[in-house]
Amino acid sequence: MTPPKSIFARLFPFSWRDLAVSAAIFSCAAGICILLQRANSSDGFASPVFVLAVLCVSRFTTGYLFGLIASVLGVVCVNFIFTFPYWAVNFTLSGYPLTFLVFLAASIMTCALTTQVRQSERLRAENEKEKMRANLLRSVSHDIRTPLTSIVGSTSAVLDNPGLSLPEQRELLEDARSEAQWLIRVVENLLSITRIGEDQARITKEPEAAEEIMGEAVRKFRRRYPGIGVSVEVPADLLMVPMDPILIEQVLSNLLENAAVHGERTSRIRVSVRAEDGFARFSVEDDGRGIPEKELPTLFDGTLKRNETTKGDGKRNMGLGLSVCLAIVRAHGGTMQAQNLSTGAEFTFRLPLEQQE
């Protein structure tokens, strides 16, 4: 059972932010009433103005505390300040109890609706988080199981068959190394997700030269895939982008490797960046087979299953890598999308050029 104190704290929370919002709204309401009072000597305008103020306070604050306080203060302001006799409390005014009840009912109903909406949003966010976690676990199980099986099989073949020739042993060990390198990439993706965490505010963004981050990602890619040509296009002027360089390099590395592995016949990749409408637009284009149309709607949510990929290989699953890319880009306040070209596919993501709070 929830303790009574915690229930009270949840229903009537106090924060300095809510206090400042309430004070600002009531100050505006009072200012409007003063202007109307100077322009028109008749009374009656204060009640609707302060009803609106009570609704705004109840809507933009958390819980019931400031809404209820606003309803009481609204009645006091209407009675004491803006209704004749001015600067005097008169409980004999016609309609006074009704005014108080209207203010109170408006406050309670608005607070209740606002609380319900926020709870629904919180539940929806938690459901999305659980869905993403389940997709991540499923992708990880697919990505790790097959490489581990291959590593065990290759090393066991070398150990259990001492009569194998050196070329055969070398081939098996190279296969094991390739699978181990793939596992390293999976672990890097998981570490990136861990760095992002549940609170995106943990990401520390500093202005970094976009061409340096791209150059480092391309250098590592060329070392792993020397047979694929990579061209880099950057602006003439140095483009500084607020980012976490390690995470954005991870995004570029994932997209480059995705183009090489899933493009199948990819022979050329073009990586570019340019400033566009207050954003830095990064693009990775390839001349491979493109993206199957049925996979485009779920490309970034990590739901691609192992048997949906071309070779039916667990390590060929691109769901994890692309879901990591999207999570990193969103954590930077950016957007990401993919599309098919006349030949191949293009992945783009945009990062804000201005540091965001």
Side-chain angles (χ1 to χ4, degrees), residues 110-301:
T110 306
C111 289
L113 290 174
T114 302
T115 301
Q116 184 177 3
V117 169
R118 289 175 178 170
Q119 288 177 346
S120 299
E121 292 175 350
R122 184 168 58 251
L123 289 174
R124 184 169 60 252
E126 291 176 355
N127 290 335
E128 288 295 328
K129 191 179 299 180
E130 290 298 327
K131 180 181 177 182
M132 182 177 179
R133 184 178 291 112
N135 292 335
L136 179 63
L137 290 175
R138 182 171 62 250
S139 298
V140 169
S141 64
H142 289 161
D143 284 348
I144 289 180
R145 182 172 51 194
T146 301
L148 285 175
T149 302
S150 179
I151 291 173
V152 172
S154 297
T155 54
S156 297
V158 173
L159 293 174
D160 298 339
N161 298 278
L164 289 175
S165 64
L166 288 179
E168 291 174 332
Q169 293 182 13
R170 181 178 180 84
E171 182 180 358
L172 289 171
L173 292 176
E174 286 180 348
D175 289 342
R177 181 177 64 179
S178 176
E179 302 292 348
Q181 288 174 341
W182 182 268
L183 284 177
I184 290 174
R185 300 290 295 158
V186 173
V187 172
E188 288 175 350
N189 283 332
L190 294 176
L191 290 176
S192 297
I193 288 290
T194 303
R195 287 196 62 195
I196 294 174
E198 296 183 355
D199 185 1
Q200 295 182 350
R202 295 178 184 175
I203 290 183
T204 302
K205 296 188 290 184
E206 296 293 339
E208 301 284 347
E211 60 184 54
E212 293 183 3
I213 306 303
M214 292 173 57
E216 184 63 20
V218 169
R219 183 185 65 80
K220 293 179 179 178
F221 175 80
R222 284 172 174 163
R223 189 169 57 193
R224 294 198 60 201
Y225 299 92
I228 299 179
V230 182
S231 61
V232 180
E233 297 181 10
V234 296
D237 298 328
L238 187 65
L239 182 60
M240 302 297 292
V241 183
M243 67 172 82
D244 183 312
I246 297 177
L247 292 178
I248 297 303
E249 182 184 326
Q250 183 72 23
V251 172
L252 290 168
S253 297
N254 282 356
L255 295 180
L256 286 166
E257 187 164 345
N258 180 74
V261 173
H262 300 285
E264 293 186 1
R265 57 176 182 268
T266 301
S267 61
R268 178 182 55 82
I269 298 177
R270 185 173 74 93
V271 186
S272 63
V273 63
R274 69 172 186 266
E276 181 182 87
D277 300 329
F279 288 82
R281 182 182 184 275
F282 293 80
S283 172
V284 177
E285 301 177 28
D286 65 74
D287 60 351
R289 70 179 180 95
I291 306 168
E293 292 296 329
K294 66 177 183 179
E295 294 180 2
L296 281 172
T298 58
L299 198 60
F300 295 102
D301 61 9

Side-chain angles (χ1 to χ4, degrees), residues 1-13:
M1 178 179 292
T2 306
K5 185 176 181 179
S6 65
I7 296 177
F8 182 85
R10 188 172 67 251
L11 294 178
F12 302 96

